[in-house]
Amino acid sequence: MLNNTYMNSRGIQHPDTIATTDIYPINDAYAMFLWIGTPVQIVFVMVDIGSPISWSQCDPCNSCYPMQRPPFNTRASSTFRELGCYSDTCLIPMMKDVFGICPGWTCRYNVKYGTTGQSHSLGEMVTDTLTFEHSNTEVKNFIIGCGDSYEGPFKTQFSGVFGLGRGPLSVQSQLNAKAFSFCPVSQGSQKPSPLAFYETPPEMDQHGDNNSIMVSLTENSAYPFYYFLQFAGISINGFMLDIQSRVWGYGLNYDGGVIVDIGTMLTYLPTDAYSVFRSEILKTDHNLTKRPGYEGLEFCYEDDSSNVFPTIELFFGNGNIAGENFVSYKLNNNQLLFRVEDTVCLSFAEGKSSALTVIGSNQLQGTLLTYDLVNEILVLTFNNC
């Protein structure tokens, strides 16, 4: 393992590093090369903050979705092992909805993606050796899914998923990490950014600074593998939108809440929030073009340097023991706007099929995200990729 400790320029001390790897922007998502097996095979997988497990499609695989790269060849790995129905892994109570009722000898998974579960990966649970290329860290008996069938759409660039959700089988849990961090660079970037796992949570200045904010994390029993953020609201040009707190998951609204998803570019607001957002934009902005946007983007402008765009801030519950009750995250133009050919559009869309608010990677680009798993805090450090 590495024992690297460094202080970045924003006042957050990074503790001893367990493992690091690079993540790459590709096809509106972020992905990495997964080194698995003995000898090592390399598969390209998408990073997902809400996935309870990691998995790769495996060979033989007669019912896999089409891929641009070969699947993981289980027969070529001397450290590959299948997990049985009565293994400790298959009997974890929190994972019962993923593993279901074991139909035979082998422990099988069925993991769903999308806020309405429109995509499924199905397969066997196995163990093999995981290697992190940049830190010489080797994880023996890493628990991973071996996909053999699927439902719904999957992107052909990716052979599987690197799971960073809550739960005992996520990567950070299997590493016994107390924190992890990553920085979504812009989709046009030619350089990757590091994904790192730490042995201890970061030490932060409790008096705060102007370069980072701390956001409280919460749980929701309806979505046990998601990291929910305490969210307070949205302002446009300094005016706080009149959106009821239940939309953000407060009270008894277990279907609602706010999460981060770097597997999607846009930020999706549930209908109750989007209708208020839409009304305010239409009332204050008369520069909009009628040209249709991308994936339902409604508020678009001609790409003209003379344009003046609305000022939009997101407000969160303060995870710092000192300071105000709320902290703000002001979107710069790169985060606010999404380019579609010769137009630019506000990177907000209506999430018509879900009550969740999903903050996409476009609004997080250039921001270092550090998940403190001990104190249940997400630290957002500005301009630090």
Side-chain angles (χ1 to χ4, degrees):
M1 294 183 182
L2 291 182
N3 288 310
N4 292 345
T5 302
Y6 66 95
M7 176 78 76
N8 71 19
S9 61
R10 309 302 180 183
I12 297 179
Q13 180 173 329
H14 285 258
D16 290 347
T17 305
I18 299 173
T20 61
T21 189
D22 284 335
I23 60 173
Y24 299 82
I26 179 172
N27 198 12
D28 296 350
Y30 294 84
M32 56 167 284
F33 293 102
L34 185 68
W35 292 31
I36 191 78
T38 308
V40 164
Q41 299 176 49
I42 301 175
V43 293
F44 197 54
V45 294
M46 186 174 73
V47 177
D48 193 309
I49 312 173
S51 181
I53 64 170
S54 300
W55 58 269
S56 172
Q57 295 198 124
C58 297
D59 186 29
C61 189
N62 296 324
S63 301
C64 287
Y65 63 83
M67 293 176 293
Q68 296 179 7
R69 293 174 172 84
F72 174 58
N73 184 353
T74 60
R75 293 168 292 192
S77 175
S78 63
T79 46
F80 172 85
R81 299 289 184 273
E82 295 178 335
L83 288 171
C85 284
Y86 298 101
S87 63
D88 290 342
T89 297
C90 208
L91 298 175
I92 296 173
M94 185 179 180
M95 303 297 293
K96 63 181 181 180
D97 288 340
V98 175
F99 298 149
I101 299 173
C102 203
W105 185 87
T106 305
C107 182
R108 291 191 60 82
Y109 75 87
N110 179 352
V111 65
K112 303 174 184 178
Y113 296 98
T115 53
T116 57
Q118 58 265 42
S119 298
H120 299 234
S121 172
L122 300 93
E124 299 179 349
M125 294 304 298
V126 304
T127 65
D128 212 327
T129 300
L130 174 68
T131 304
F132 286 88
E133 54 180 314
H134 294 316
S135 47
N136 296 320
T137 301
E138 187 177 84
V139 185
K140 296 184 183 298
N141 300 314
F142 182 78
I143 301 167
I144 188 170
C146 221
D148 56 28
S149 56
Y150 74 102
E151 296 175 12
F154 282 96
K155 296 178 179 179
T156 61
Q157 292 94 330
F158 310 126
S159 302
V161 162
F162 196 65
L164 298 178
R166 290 187 184 271
L169 300 183
S170 66
V171 177
Q172 61 271 26
S173 292
Q174 293 194 58
L175 292 174
N176 293 315
K178 300 302 186 291
F180 66 93
S181 69
F182 58 88
C183 199
V185 294
S186 70
Q187 282 291 313
S189 174
Q190 299 299 311
K191 295 182 179 180
S193 60
L195 165 64
F197 300 89
Y198 308 114
E199 289 183 327
T200 56
E203 296 178 9
M204 291 163 290
D205 181 1
Q206 294 296 338
H207 299 291
D209 57 52
N210 294 326
N211 297 310
S212 64
I213 59 174
M214 304 180 198
V215 178
S216 298
L217 296 172
T218 62
E219 298 182 50
N220 184 333
S221 59
Y223 302 94
F225 306 118
Y226 288 171
Y227 291 98
F228 281 84
L229 282 59
Q230 285 192 4
F231 194 73
I234 303 172
S235 74
I236 299 177
N237 297 329
F239 174 75
M240 184 67 81
L241 300 183
D242 185 14
I243 299 170
Q244 296 184 8
S245 62
R246 65 172 179 79
V247 175
W248 312 130
Y250 294 94
L252 297 177
N253 181 20
Y254 298 113
D255 291 331
V258 181
I259 62 172
V260 166
D261 184 1
I262 61 169
T264 185
M265 290 287 292
L266 306 180
T267 291
Y268 291 92
L269 302 178
T271 299
D272 286 352
Y274 187 80
S275 60
V276 179
F277 179 88
R278 182 180 189 275
S279 176
E280 185 62 23
I281 291 293
L282 292 176
K283 183 167 56 178
T284 59
D285 204 323
H286 307 290
N287 239 357
L288 299 170
T289 178
K290 297 298 183 182
R291 187 174 302 179
Y294 161 90
E295 284 190 6
L297 288 174
E298 186 175 5
F299 309 113
C300 298
Y301 308 78
E302 298 292 342
D303 190 4
D304 189 321
S305 59
S306 65
N307 274 333
V308 177
F309 304 106
T311 299
I312 297 183
E313 290 184 77
L314 310 179
F315 289 84
F316 300 91
N318 191 359
N320 196 336
I321 58 175
E324 303 294 330
N325 290 333
F326 304 109
V327 289
S328 69
Y329 182 82
K330 185 177 179 180
L331 302 178
N332 61 41
N333 279 354
N334 288 333
Q335 297 164 336
L336 175 66
L337 302 172
F338 187 84
R339 185 173 300 279
V340 184
E341 296 178 351
D342 58 346
T343 63
V344 291
C345 304
L346 301 185
S347 56
F348 289 85
E350 183 177 3
K352 298 178 181 179
S353 59
S354 173
L356 293 180
T357 298
V358 179
I359 300 176
S361 63
N362 197 78
Q363 295 185 0
L364 297 168
Q365 62 178 297
T367 300
L368 177 69
L369 282 72
T370 303
Y371 283 77
D372 179 342
L373 306 176
V374 174
N375 300 300
E376 286 285 308
I377 290 171
L378 171 61
V379 184
L380 301 172
T381 307
F382 311 131
N383 302 316
N384 203 36
C385 283

